[in-house]
């Protein structure tokens, strides 16, 4: 065995001067849409549209009413148009440099899969049946979605998703740092349950492991497992992990039916996962979580706040993606009570939870300790906080 | 494209599947927004290239395409550029007061 370390796959990706400038600008535009235009939209609703409706005795009863009232307003039309275009431009801005780097990146991923110098693994399933809800649409406007393969041992979609999310979050106040969710969930668990020491951790819909890797630091010695339906994402993530010296076990599996034995994990997590899944499959996946957890084990799913947890206006804001960002299951997922989802999967109600936790990096450790003691509230989801739901298996 | 396509020949799809929503009564306006946003982006790209040229001239007294291509701004310069982009976006996308 050669002692050569695996090359960091990201170093092969070399956007030109102008491509970099374009990506930087798209990040700025995304931030403008999701922070500034979003604030303008809310102001327009609160200061003008809502009072006018109230004056006529027509104040909407729910978020759908707000959507109907706002649909024709210029503030909403421009906000929506900029958000949609930026989403497209995000992936367009990385595809060409990914194409140029592809051959070399595939070589790196092959090398990583052959040698596993960090002690991780990559297990792909030939003729894997990708769930229709992943393969039949281009989820949040990634051309080719998460699963498409264009050449042998392809990593392209892994690279497009990884570099695309850097563009997407590049100027965002709370999404700049890769792995922010895992870091936050990990530290929250650590502070809240100091005795909780997971031996094996599983991340569902791990993509390339971005929100799995940070657990290695919070829970040293824990074995990390990530599953996903998309082979190119797994190859890419595995190459990154091996280069970073992280032993991570990636496998291509459908989260609805996993091949791990009962009680195999102490911690099961996911992030930005369930809102992309039809409700029937959500139930199956949560039952899998119950089966796979050992007694005393925890599941923590980071997701969008559910409909009942936020105001009608916020529901209008969040549900935008359902029809405008190719995420058809978003509204239905959000309409569910997360506690009821957990109990339907076999967890006890009194062991289930659904609430916000602060973002680790931006909130800071001292304040985090006070949050865990109940002395400070967590910021809103996506604005310095993350919504999580889950349960402990007894 | 199939597993037989060599990696060097892969061309990723640029267009998403599914129906594109439109936000304006006239779909031509949706198309126009795309033109506008792409053009706004290109102006920023050009501005950044010009900034690189100016900084190289200040530093070296000359520029070549190679030095432009190799130029990576340090954190301070990147901060200045980010502030410029931010102000630029706010200027270009100035909304009329609602009413
Ligand atoms: C938005 S991404 C997750 C992002 C990632 N967890 C993160 O934090 O960056 C959703 C992922 O779930 C995967 N996925 C969707 N349904 C799945 C299923 N039934 N089984 C396994 N993976 C699935 C998709 O392939 C995709 O990679």
């Amino acid at each position: 065995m050669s002692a050569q370390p695996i090359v960091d796959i990201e170093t092969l990706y070399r956007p030109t001067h102008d491509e970099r400038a374009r990506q930087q600008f798209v990040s700025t535009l995304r931030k403008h849409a999701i922070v500034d235009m979003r604030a303008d939209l809310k102001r327009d609703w609160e200061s003008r549209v809502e009072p006018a409706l109230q004056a006529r005795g027509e104040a909407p009863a729910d978020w759908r009413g707000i959507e109907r009232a706002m649909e024709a307003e210029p503030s909403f039309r421009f906000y929506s148009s900029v958000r949609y275009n930026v989403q497209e431009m995000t992936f367009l801005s990385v595809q060409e440099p990914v194409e140029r780097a592809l051959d070399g990146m595939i070589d790196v991923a092959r090398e990583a899969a052959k040698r596993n110098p960090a002690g991780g693994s990559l297990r792909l399933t030939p003729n894997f049946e990708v769930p229709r809800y992943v393969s039949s649409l281009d989820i949040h406007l990634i051309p080719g979605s998460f699963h498409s393969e264009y050449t042998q041992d392809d990593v392209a979609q892994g690279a497009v998703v990884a570099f695309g999310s850097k563009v997407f979050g590049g100027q965002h106040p709370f999404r700049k740092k890769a792995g922010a969710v895992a870091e936050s969930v990990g530290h929250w668990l650590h502070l809240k349950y100091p005795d909780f020491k997971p031996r094996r951790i599983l991340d569902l819909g791990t993509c390339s492991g971005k929100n799995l890797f940070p657990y290695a630091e919070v829970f040293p010695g824990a074995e990390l497992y990530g599953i996903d339906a998309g082979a190119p994402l797994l190859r890419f993530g595995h190459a990154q992990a091996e280069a970073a010296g992280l032993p991570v076990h990636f496998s291509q599996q459908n989260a609805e039916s996993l091949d791990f034995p009962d009680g195999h994990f102490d911690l099961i997590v996911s992030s930005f996962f369930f809102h992309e899944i039809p409700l029937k499959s959500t139930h199956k996946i949560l039952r899998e979580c119950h089966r796979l957890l050992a007694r005393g084990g925890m599941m923590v799913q980071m997701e969008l706040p559910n409909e009942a947890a936020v105001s009608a206006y916020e529901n209008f804001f969040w549900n935008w993606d359902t029809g405008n960002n190719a995420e058809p299951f978003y509204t239905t997922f959000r309409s569910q009570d997360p506690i009821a989802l957990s109990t339907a999967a076999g967890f006890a109600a009194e062991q289930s939870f659904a609430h916000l936790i602060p973002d680790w990096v931006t909130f800071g450790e001292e304040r985090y300790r006070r949050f865990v003691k109940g002395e400070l509230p967590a910021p809103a989801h996506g604005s310095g906080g993350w919504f999580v739901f889950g349960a402990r298996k007894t | 494209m199939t597993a037989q396509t060599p990696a060097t020949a892969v061309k990723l799809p640029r267009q998403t599947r599914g129906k594109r929503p439109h936000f304006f009564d006239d779909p031509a306006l949706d198309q126009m927004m795309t033109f506008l946003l792409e053009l706004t982006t290109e102006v920023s790209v050009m501005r950044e290239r010009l900034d690189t040229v100016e900084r190289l001239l200040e530093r070296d007294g000359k520029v070549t395409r190679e030095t432009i291509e190799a130029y990576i701004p340090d954190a301070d310069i990147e901060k200045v550029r980010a502030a410029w982009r931010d102000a630029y976006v706010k200027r270009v996308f100035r909304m009329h007061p609602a009413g």
Side-chain angles (χ1 to χ4, degrees):
Chain A
M1 202 178 98
S2 122
Q4 280 283 4
I6 299 296
V7 173
D8 175 357
I9 197 164
E10 295 199 11
T11 60
L12 294 159
Y13 165 81
R14 296 195 193 106
T16 62
H17 179 282
D18 291 3
E19 285 169 345
R20 248 182 291 127
R22 194 169 292 120
Q23 293 167 353
Q24 299 273 30
F25 185 73
V26 173
S27 298
T28 304
L29 205 51
R30 161 73 191 169
K31 182 244 162 201
H32 183 68
I34 205 63
V35 177
D36 303 317
M37 293 183 88
R38 171 181 171 185
D40 289 345
L41 184 69
K42 188 166 186 207
R43 208 170 304 120
D44 195 30
W45 163 250
E46 285 174 346
S47 67
R48 191 177 64 87
V49 182
E50 188 181 29
L53 288 173
Q54 279 166 343
R56 296 206 302 269
E58 291 169 10
D62 57 15
W63 69 271
R64 284 181 199 277
I66 300 177
E67 189 176 74
R68 269 194 302 277
M70 289 300 279
E71 243 157 20
E73 298 296 337
S75 56
F76 180 76
R77 292 177 175 206
F78 284 109
Y79 160 80
S80 300
S81 178
V82 175
R83 267 195 73 184
Y84 192 92
N85 276 285
V86 165
Q87 192 81 21
E88 292 181 312
M89 289 161 79
T90 295
F91 299 112
L92 286 170
S93 77
V94 300
Q95 284 178 319
E96 276 183 53
V98 165
E99 284 167 357
R100 289 197 306 270
L102 188 57
D103 197 30
M105 291 196 297
I106 289 174
D107 283 345
V108 169
R110 280 183 181 138
E111 181 76 4
K114 199 167 76 193
R115 297 206 345 249
N116 294 302
S121 60
L122 174 66
R123 185 154 61 88
L124 301 177
T125 308
N127 305 316
F128 178 77
E129 201 181 316
V130 178
R132 288 267 308 147
Y133 49 85
V134 173
S135 64
S136 66
L137 73 169
D138 285 332
I139 298 177
H140 51 68
L141 311 186
I142 309 169
S145 197
F146 293 112
H147 68 293
S148 293
E149 297 183 60
Y150 302 99
T151 183
Q152 193 76 39
D153 298 333
D154 196 9
V155 300
Q157 290 308 89
V160 166
V161 171
F163 297 121
S165 55
K166 289 187 190 204
V167 173
F168 191 72
Q171 291 297 327
H172 192 284
F174 303 106
R175 282 187 87 155
K176 270 184 208 163
K177 194 159 183 287
V181 173
E183 220 171 32
S184 305
V185 170
H187 284 286
W188 170 66
L189 284 171
H190 190 62
L191 291 177
K192 189 164 166 78
Y193 307 98
D195 297 332
F196 181 59
K197 298 247 159 29
R199 292 156 300 175
R200 290 195 202 95
I201 302 174
L202 170 66
D203 182 25
L204 305 170
T206 193
C207 250
S208 300
K210 183 171 73 190
N211 276 309
L212 170 60
F213 300 162
Y215 290 103
E217 215 166 291
V218 189
F219 297 116
E223 287 174 28
L224 305 186
Y225 293 78
I227 68 104
D228 203 282
L233 314 177
L234 295 164
R235 293 188 188 107
F236 190 85
H238 176 257
Q240 284 181 309
E242 291 298 326
L246 281 178
V248 181
H249 304 285
F250 286 98
S251 57
Q252 185 180 28
Q253 298 195 54
N254 187 332
E256 295 176 35
S257 155
L258 295 160
D259 65 5
F260 303 110
D262 296 1
H264 200 59
F265 295 98
D266 300 307
L267 176 60
I268 301 181
V269 295
S270 70
S271 40
F272 309 100
F273 176 63
F274 282 98
H275 70 268
E276 293 176 8
I277 308 261
L279 190 56
K280 229 175 93 193
S281 305
T282 293
H283 284 301
K284 284 193 198 158
I285 295 169
L286 290 172
R287 276 199 296 274
E288 272 296 76
C289 290
H290 188 265
R291 176 182 76 80
L292 289 172
L293 280 175
R295 294 206 178 280
M298 303 258 299
M299 67 165 187
V300 186
Q301 326 286 4
M302 175 258 138
E303 254 307 334
L304 295 154
N306 61 301
E307 203 175 305
V310 298
S311 68
Y313 185 86
E314 265 197 73
N315 283 313
F316 152 69
F317 166 76
W318 290 116
N319 288 340
W320 183 93
D321 294 70
T322 311
N324 297 321
N325 204 18
E327 306 203 87
F329 310 109
Y330 208 100
T331 297
T332 308
F333 172 74
R334 293 196 61 252
S335 72
Q336 303 300 303
D337 169 9
I339 304 283
L341 287 177
S342 296
T343 57
F347 294 95
E350 64 282 6
Q351 297 291 334
S352 303
F353 56 85
H355 58 74
L356 292 159
I357 62 168
D359 179 59
W360 173 253
V361 171
T362 50
F363 208 65
E365 181 164 350
E366 265 329 289
R367 292 169 72 215
Y368 220 104
R369 287 183 189 281
R370 295 183 55 203
F371 163 78
V372 170
K373 281 193 223 148
E375 295 170 7
L376 281 180
H381 176 79
S383 303
W386 304 107
F387 190 77
V388 295
F389 76 97
R392 186 158 203 163
K393 182 171 169 180
T394 46
Chain B
M1 243 170 293
T2 67
Q4 268 48 280
T5 310
T8 47
V10 167
K11 179 105 173 107
L12 300 170
R14 300 293 196 262
Q15 196 67 53
T16 52
R17 293 168 289 165
K19 195 174 166 308
R20 201 178 195 287
H22 52 86
F23 302 106
F24 297 93
D25 300 329
D26 181 352
L29 254 184
D30 288 277
Q31 175 65 77
M32 198 63 97
M33 279 298 286
T34 299
F35 294 157
L36 177 72
L37 289 162
E38 291 289 0
L39 186 59
T40 312
T41 306
E42 293 313 308
V43 170
S44 179
V45 170
M46 241 162 56
R47 169 65 167 66
E48 195 140 317
R49 200 170 174 94
L50 184 59
D51 187 62
T52 297
V53 170
E54 288 171 0
R55 288 177 194 278
L56 287 172
L57 282 175
E58 270 168 21
R59 196 188 70 188
D60 306 337
K62 62 172 186 194
V63 284
T64 64
R65 285 200 194 85
E66 285 72 36
T67 55
I68 293 173
E69 210 40 67
Y71 181 79
I72 304 277
D74 64 25
D76 286 340
I77 292 172
E78 186 41 48
K79 225 191 234 160
V80 172
R81 288 182 168 189
W84 181 85
R85 284 192 293 264
D86 224 38
Y88 165 69
V89 164
K90 291 201 164 102
R91 269 196 314 278
V92 174
F93 297 107
R94 174 172 57 88
M95 290 289 289
H96 300 168

